[in-house]
Amino acid sequence: MSKSPWFWVPTLYFTEGLPYFIVNTVSLVMLKDLGTSNGRLAALTSFLSLPWLFKPLWSPFVDTIKSKRWWIIATQLTIALSVAFIALTLSGLSLFVTIFLFAITAFASATHDISTDGFYMIALDERRQSAFIGIRNTFYRIAMIFGQGVLVFLAGAVEKYTENSASAWRITLIFTAFVLAALTFYHSSVLPQAESKPDAETGGSGGLLKNFVKAFASFFTKKGCFAAVLFMLFYRFPEALLMKMLYPFFSDPSSSGGLGLGKEAYGLICGSAGVAALLTGGIFGGIYISRHGLRRSLPVMALSLTLPCIVYPFLAFIHPESLWIVGSCIALDQFGYGFGFTAYIAYMMRFADGPLKTSHYAVCTGFMALSAILPGSVAGYLQEICGYGGFFMLVILSCTLTFTVTYLVSGTLDMREGK
């Protein structure tokens, strides 16, 4: 007898989200605490995002080698072991080895994304797929709060007792590895035995790869492709610069231009209140587009994404001591980003629509990953050159890129697009 999706969909998508935020947020906070400079910090953690950029390249092999269920269990076990090894070897090995272990986690996590989304479509019929979309998204976001908020807050709380950052992170990562291992064991028994049907038309992994190359090439023949690619690369450029320097700005002392706040404050403000504001902004953004259409919404959403960036020069020059003021500024920025980012997703869905829309949307998500990797890799070096005040002014100036690419793609949309 097959188990109800309620037994596995929530935990599976929580497990999909958690390693992503471990790699992209927890690693940044941990490496900063262990003394990595801002320049190297931003570059190295941007490098760790590469598996999500290139995952479409090996997705055909995940589709044809073993079952989706096998890949899910194997990648979850790999992630749990990698996180455990990072914890156990944290202070005894070089930065290179730590980054290598995080890279294994990232590769396994990106592969887990492929197998999880495929398994979801195999194990559930169309009616239940639609019914559980909200559930899977909710638990992915709970993983976001757990990774960016709870784990960072926990590391800060443990450090108060151990008075040692490495020990605090070791305990936090061991706890995380235990959670991941428990979820792996649970899924090994609760996931249904759902197998995909062989697709005779694909000709195995070679045929799938050939089809992907064909879809990738056809993407660049779509009308308005040049403007679309520029939009996908530069629309969120200001926020992509900011995201790598947010925790360094929180943790660096005021003498260095930072706020001098600890991990607990960061986890509470950015991992909890900030995430809640981000999600709320996304909900309102979807409602706004559905009422006004994508073309009319784009200028408003570009303003929403860019104007709140002004809170960072304010924080850098004023250095408020009140967590309420800092939290309000971060929540305002994250709400604006969530609201404005909705247009980005809606535009990608619109541009990918048509024949081969699944493959074309995968290419769009590759450009989305690249739009964060490119500015993120240089953000730390820019901050070291300009200081926090100068860096945040550069972020404000980069908002012109958002307005420029928004103008370029607005003319390609009709007035009712997205309603």
Side-chain angles (χ1 to χ4, degrees):
M1 181 179 179
S2 61
K3 294 182 175 66
S4 166
W6 283 106
F7 283 96
W8 57 270
V9 170
T11 55
L12 187 60
Y13 277 88
F14 176 86
T15 312
E16 179 179 320
L18 183 55
Y20 177 85
F21 297 109
I22 290 172
V23 170
N24 288 282
T25 300
V26 172
S27 69
L28 188 149
V29 177
M30 187 189 82
L31 292 174
K32 175 65 177 177
D33 282 353
L34 298 180
T36 307
S37 67
N38 286 352
R40 295 183 72 189
L41 178 71
L44 289 172
T45 53
S46 294
F47 161 79
L48 293 175
S49 300
L50 287 175
W52 284 277
L53 171 62
F54 293 116
K55 71 179 182 179
L57 298 180
W58 66 84
S59 61
F61 302 99
V62 176
D63 285 332
T64 55
I65 301 172
K66 298 288 187 178
S67 66
K68 303 290 191 302
R69 189 183 189 279
W70 183 90
W71 280 106
I72 288 171
I73 302 304
T75 51
Q76 287 184 7
L77 181 60
T78 302
I79 292 165
L81 290 174
S82 297
V83 172
F85 276 120
I86 294 170
L88 296 174
T89 60
L90 193 55
S91 59
L93 295 179
S94 67
L95 176 63
F96 173 81
V97 175
T98 302
I99 292 296
F100 177 74
L101 290 170
F102 269 118
I104 293 175
T105 307
F107 182 83
S109 178
T111 307
H112 183 267
D113 291 355
I114 298 168
S115 53
T116 294
D117 292 337
F119 185 83
Y120 180 84
M121 292 185 285
I122 293 166
L124 301 179
D125 55 35
E126 290 186 11
R127 180 185 63 82
R128 290 194 294 177
Q129 286 179 34
S130 299
F132 277 87
I133 284 177
I135 301 300
R136 56 179 268 184
N137 290 345
T138 297
F139 277 84
Y140 188 91
R141 289 163 180 167
I142 291 173
M144 184 179 184
I145 295 172
F146 187 81
Q148 293 187 183
V150 174
L151 292 182
V152 175
F153 183 90
L154 176 62
V158 173
E159 187 177 350
K160 283 187 173 182
Y161 292 96
T162 62
E163 298 183 350
N164 184 285
S165 290
S167 297
W169 280 112
R170 187 178 300 109
I171 293 169
T172 301
L173 290 177
I174 289 173
F175 166 74
T176 306
F178 176 80
V179 171
L180 289 164
L183 287 166
T184 303
F185 178 77
Y186 175 74
H187 290 140
S188 68
S189 62
V190 78
L191 290 181
Q193 297 288 341
E195 300 291 333
S196 59
K197 296 180 180 179
D199 189 348
E201 296 181 0
T202 63
S205 61
L208 282 167
L209 186 59
K210 181 180 178 180
N211 288 343
F212 174 79
V213 172
K214 179 182 177 181
F216 186 83
S218 67
F219 176 89
F220 293 97
T221 65
K222 292 174 75 73
K223 184 180 179 181
C225 177
F226 179 71
V229 170
L230 289 178
F231 180 82
M232 286 182 268
L233 286 176
F234 295 110
Y235 176 74
R236 61 172 185 158
F237 192 90
E239 199 70 28
L241 281 174
L242 282 170
M243 67 174 69
K244 290 298 181 183
M245 287 297 100
L246 192 52
Y247 178 70
F249 178 55
F250 258 73
S251 62
D252 279 341
S254 56
S255 59
S256 300
L259 295 177
L261 301 173
K263 288 185 287 295
E264 290 177 275
Y266 177 83
L268 183 64
I269 292 173
C270 297
S272 299
V275 171
L278 178 74
L279 301 181
T280 304
I283 292 169
F284 280 99
I287 295 171
Y288 191 87
I289 290 176
S290 68
R291 291 182 177 178
H292 300 281
L294 182 55
R295 182 174 177 177
R296 288 178 175 171
S297 300
L298 262 176
V300 175
M301 294 189 148
L303 285 170
S304 173
L305 186 137
T306 53
L307 288 183
C309 293
I310 197 69
V311 303
Y312 293 103
F314 166 77
L315 292 174
F317 291 117
I318 302 301
H319 292 286
E321 296 182 359
S322 170
L323 288 182
W324 284 103
I325 295 176
V326 176
S328 298
C329 288
I330 299 299
L332 175 63
D333 172 64
Q334 290 299 292
F335 178 87
Y337 177 61
F339 187 86
F341 187 69
T342 310
Y344 187 83
I345 299 296
Y347 180 81
M348 289 199 307
M349 293 173 65
R350 176 264 174 197
F351 186 76
D353 196 23
L356 302 174
K357 62 183 177 182
T358 301
S359 296
H360 287 172
Y361 189 76
V363 177
C364 288
T365 60
F367 281 114
M368 179 172 70
L370 192 60
S371 74
I373 292 170
L374 292 177
S377 62
V378 299
Y381 295 113
L382 290 174
Q383 186 279 321
E384 289 180 340
I385 293 170
C386 303
Y388 283 109
F391 173 74
F392 291 136
M393 293 309 298
L394 284 178
V395 171
I396 299 299
L397 290 175
S398 73
C399 293
T400 56
L401 290 172
T402 301
F403 298 133
T404 301
V405 296
T406 299
Y407 174 78
L408 286 176
V409 300
S410 292
T412 67
L413 301 169
D414 64 58
M415 295 303 290
R416 293 189 58 81
E417 194 87 50
K419 276 195 175 183

